[in-house]
Amino acid sequence: MDHIDIIKSKLLLSDIVGKKVRLIKRGDSFVGLCPFHNEKTPSFSVSNIKGLYYCFGCSAHGDAFEFISQTEGLSFKEALERLASVAGVELPKNLSFAKENDKLFSTLNLAANWFTQKNQGIVDYLKQRKISPKIIDKFRIGYAPSSGLREYLNSSGIEDKVLVNVGLINKNFRDYFYDRLMFPIQNIAGKVIGFGGRALSPDQQPKYLNSPESQLFKKRENLYGINFALSEIRKKQHIFVVEGYMDVIALHQAGISNTVAPLGTAISAEQIKNLWKFAKEISICMDGDSAGRHAAIRIAELVLPILEPGYTLKFVTLPNNKDPYDICNKLEYKTEDVLSAFNHSTELHSEYLWNHIIDSNLQNYDKFAPEKYSILEHKFMEYVNAISNSSIRRYYRDYFYNKANELRSSFKKQIFKSRLRETKEEYLYNKSPELIETEQNQAITLRIVIEFPELLNHPIFFEQFSHFEFTNTEMKRLQQRIIDVTNSRSELSKKVLLQELEQLNVIKFILEKTNVLSSQLNERKSAEIVWNNIVLLKELNVLQDEKIKARLSGNLDLEEKLIEQIKQIESSIQEMQMEFIQK
């Protein structure tokens, strides 16, 4: 029965069982104490992918309907009504209605078969577009000639009123689809509920024509390809949402079968919410044209009120005027290459919104004036205030403020660069403030070792120095020479070290570059504070990079831990700097 399959598809078995059994996630399944017999060790397993439960202790097994029936003492009909209510599925009120639906499904299936039989003329067209025969058969791609469908279905005993009801003929009793490439649209249970027709001539409008709404065909309640995608979606816990039928077909041919598309309408917040029931991660991949970008932004904005912890939304931005079909075609339908291309241009929802704010509000600017900052803050706070979940709202607010601060810092760096140009200092010109600071810290590290080589007798200092990365070739050589000298001597002093290094010209450069800190670096306690500060700054940079990666991958728990570590290190650095200043 169709409605049973639809109910199962809209519910996770673990959610149903979890209301009566405390479940623990183990791999792709869940385990818990069996509700059907007494046990102390969990032997009750629940699989969302299979939609089944099984107890290895008492052999109890079944699906969602069986579980509700057994645990609540309900008949199958009562369990069906209970779960239909939970899933938001309207059940047929009587058997005759169900039989009427069966007749409509049968009619649409006959039409799909007829279109398929007429596709000889367009197979070459599909081959030119590099669609394989296997995919043509899988998706039952057909062709609607100028006429003939009505007569065929009438001869099969199907009346015109039924054909009007399912949108196969219009009110003038002419075929609704003609001279079009035909894509049967199937519901989640795999039954044909309507069609999408693509024009084969540029003069024919509209380019895409969908079946009219009917009691079976509800555009906003269905997605193209969902029947083929559901198993892979549940397995990978990830869904690609694209714009068109050909995009879905191309990605399935590329082996990326966790892909669906809306039916000629903009995807709704309700559809996103329903997709999150199947998988915790959704990637929106609209076309790379202006309409596609506007559609993506609309989705990014409309989901704000429904964001929940643990559910991720990402956006794949394609090159100008390219769609997923173009990408698959260009990369010869190679799975890894297509996924790599998508991953390379994927942004997390928060990042995607931020970049949209920047692109739409900071065009043709020369400086980050307070007026510009107020525009940004006004816009991103609009987004923040639209978020219902308090923890997500806090995370987005902090993220946007951090990005705005980074932006202000980048403007300061631009001013710094312009001032360097004015001074025409050759060494500093074309070097970023970060690189200048990095090289300065590297020189300070070497200066400390030269002043207090005995530090390297301590394993921790020696290990830190050995793993320190130097960007300057001469500094690298000096580092290696110091390591060699340290390894060859049991005790080390400044005098001995300088004798060993006297032939290296870089020593003079190091002393000159750190001359401004000579008074602090000549005192061991201060030198150790500076050393630890530099080590912590390096660790801080690594954690900042990991934090960004965690955010982009949607791992909010890891990001929270990294933020806490970053705060601790920043606090330690601040304390050291205060101690250093007081000295």
Side-chain angles (χ1 to χ4, degrees), residues 213-281:
E213 294 266 323
S214 69
Q215 64 193 62
L216 297 184
F217 187 61
K218 311 286 186 188
K219 293 179 184 178
R220 290 192 172 274
E221 294 179 10
N222 294 279
L223 292 163
Y224 183 69
I226 187 67
N227 55 305
F228 296 119
L230 190 56
S231 174
E232 195 69 7
I233 286 170
R234 282 185 161 156
K235 191 185 300 180
K236 291 185 175 174
Q237 283 299 295
H238 182 207
I239 309 169
F240 285 104
V241 177
V242 296
E243 278 194 55
Y245 304 139
M246 287 298 290
D247 298 324
V248 172
I249 288 165
L251 284 165
H252 276 253
Q253 183 168 314
I256 306 168
S257 54
N258 52 324
T259 305
V260 298
L263 301 175
T265 60
I267 195 162
S268 66
E270 192 61 31
Q271 284 175 311
I272 294 290
K273 204 170 181 179
N274 286 333
L275 285 175
W276 268 328
K277 292 178 182 177
F278 302 141
K280 293 190 175 181
E281 185 172 303

Side-chain angles (χ1 to χ4, degrees), residues 129-143:
R129 300 202 68 180
K130 298 183 181 176
I131 303 301
S132 71
K134 182 180 177 182
I135 290 294
I136 294 172
D137 290 343
K138 176 181 177 179
F139 283 87
R140 301 173 72 182
I141 304 173
Y143 172 68

Side-chain angles (χ1 to χ4, degrees), residues 348 351 395 399 406 536-566 569:
L348 202 61
E351 185 179 28
Y395 162 75
Y399 170 72
E406 288 173 14
L536 285 174
L537 281 171
K538 282 183 61 186
E539 187 177 345
L540 184 64
N541 290 334
V542 171
L543 290 174
Q544 293 281 16
D545 289 341
E546 288 181 0
K547 184 191 78 169
I548 292 170
K549 289 176 184 174
R551 178 170 52 78
L552 290 176
S553 66
N555 193 336
L556 301 185
D557 291 338
L558 175 59
E559 188 189 25
E560 285 292 332
K561 291 177 183 176
L562 291 169
I563 288 172
E564 191 57 39
Q565 292 178 38
I566 288 168
I569 290 176

Side-chain angles (χ1 to χ4, degrees), residues 499-511:
Q499 286 175 349
E500 293 282 353
L501 304 175
E502 62 182 351
Q503 300 300 320
L504 297 177
N505 296 327
V506 72
I507 296 292
K508 184 179 179 183
F509 169 77
I510 297 297
L511 296 174

